Amino acid sequence: QFSDHEERLSGSEREEDEDDVEAALKKEVGQIRASTEQKLRRFQSVESGANNVVFIRTRGIEPENLVHHILKDMHTTKKKKTRVILRMLPISGTCKAFMEDMKKYAETFFEPWFKAPNKGTFQIVYKARNNSHMSREEVIKELAGIVGSLNPENKVDLNNPQYTIVVEIIKNVCCLSVVRDYVLFRKYNLQEVVKSNKEGIQQNPSSLTEEQNSKVVKPETEEEEKSSKAAKQENK
């Protein structure tokens, strides 16, 4: 609201005040933008569109390095640091979940790992949620072909590959990443990676096979067998 003094201002004085108001507005807009940028967090939850899937967007952080560091620490210390999270997968890139879009995106996305002179053994793991129009076999075949075209020396290894290409399709979004030590870190399973290799190997005596049980009760030597027969004869 204008005061009486402002209403009596001459035209030139009013123009000067309008300039001041414009400058003040610009300053205020700048402050709002700055405060908004400051509110952007390093980790922010994003609606994933699928049950039991939490998507965390990172800012200024490489997801592969972060998740690999967490799993390496848990694998080394064998300390369980989460109760409810099953797997933690880094996602480096996203595109529309249609074959043509995925092929076009993957041609440049795979270059840092597989384009000559870079090379390595690889495998592709695929999972789709709330999506029925994509074919698992087709996706794996097309992506493997792209990796092979970047460098013919890239070879498939399903046992212990250097790189694992993770393809996670959620509704109409394809999430891609290339991770290391996928087999060593138990498919990036936070519950399994803390278990020692010896766990589960010790066999329960009750689970012995029939053949093993029969071996346990048989006499170990011929002398024991003879003495056993003698004892039976004496009893008779």
Side-chain angles (χ1 to χ4, degrees), residues 3 7 12-13 20 61 63 94 115 182 193 212 214 229:
S3 64
E7 289 176 355
S12 60
E13 289 175 330
D20 291 341
I61 295 171
T94 59
K115 186 176 182 179
Y182 189 75
V193 75
Q212 289 173 318
S214 65
K229 287 181 179 179

Side-chain angles (χ1 to χ4, degrees), residues 216-234:
V216 170
V217 298
K218 283 181 179 178
E220 295 182 358
T221 63
E222 292 182 2
E223 291 180 0
E224 288 180 350
E225 191 174 356
K226 289 179 181 179
S227 62
S228 177
K229 287 181 179 179
K232 288 178 182 178
Q233 188 68 25
E234 187 177 354

Side-chain angles (χ1 to χ4, degrees), residues 32-91:
I32 292 172
R33 285 178 179 172
S35 63
T36 303
E37 290 176 358
Q38 289 174 358
K39 287 179 182 178
L40 291 174
R41 292 171 289 181
R42 296 175 70 193
F43 303 100
Q44 191 166 0
S45 179
V46 179
E47 182 61 39
S48 68
N51 292 333
N52 302 321
V53 177
V54 179
F55 195 99
I56 305 296
R57 182 170 58 198
T58 60
R59 183 177 175 84
I61 295 171
E62 291 293 334
E64 298 104 326
N65 295 336
L66 173 66
V67 176
H68 189 274
H69 175 80
I70 291 171
L71 284 158
K72 184 179 180 181
D73 175 65
M74 294 180 71
H75 181 265
T76 304
T77 61
K78 299 298 179 186
K79 290 183 179 179
K80 189 175 180 180
K81 300 183 179 181
T82 174
R83 290 189 299 115
V84 295
I85 300 175
L86 182 63
R87 299 176 73 202
M88 183 179 284
L89 293 172
I91 299 301

Side-chain angles (χ1 to χ4, degrees), residues 62-75 82 84-92 113 123 125 129 161-166 168 177-194:
E62 291 293 334
E64 298 104 326
N65 295 336
L66 173 66
V67 176
H68 189 274
H69 175 80
I70 291 171
L71 284 158
K72 184 179 180 181
D73 175 65
M74 294 180 71
H75 181 265
T82 174
V84 295
I85 300 175
L86 182 63
R87 299 176 73 202
M88 183 179 284
L89 293 172
I91 299 301
S92 304
W113 298 276
Q123 69 170 342
V125 294
R129 295 179 176 86
Q162 291 176 266
Y163 302 108
T164 297
I165 299 171
V166 177
E168 290 276 331
S177 61
V178 179
V179 301
R180 295 170 290 139
D181 298 321
Y182 189 75
V183 176
L184 177 65
F185 293 157
R186 309 290 182 89
K187 300 181 179 181
Y188 278 39
N189 188 313
L190 300 183
Q191 306 297 327
E192 294 293 328
V193 75
V194 296

Side-chain angles (χ1 to χ4, degrees), residues 170-182:
I170 304 174
K171 299 181 82 170
N172 291 325
V173 179
C174 173
C175 304
L176 287 173
S177 61
V178 179
V179 301
R180 295 170 290 139
D181 298 321
Y182 189 75

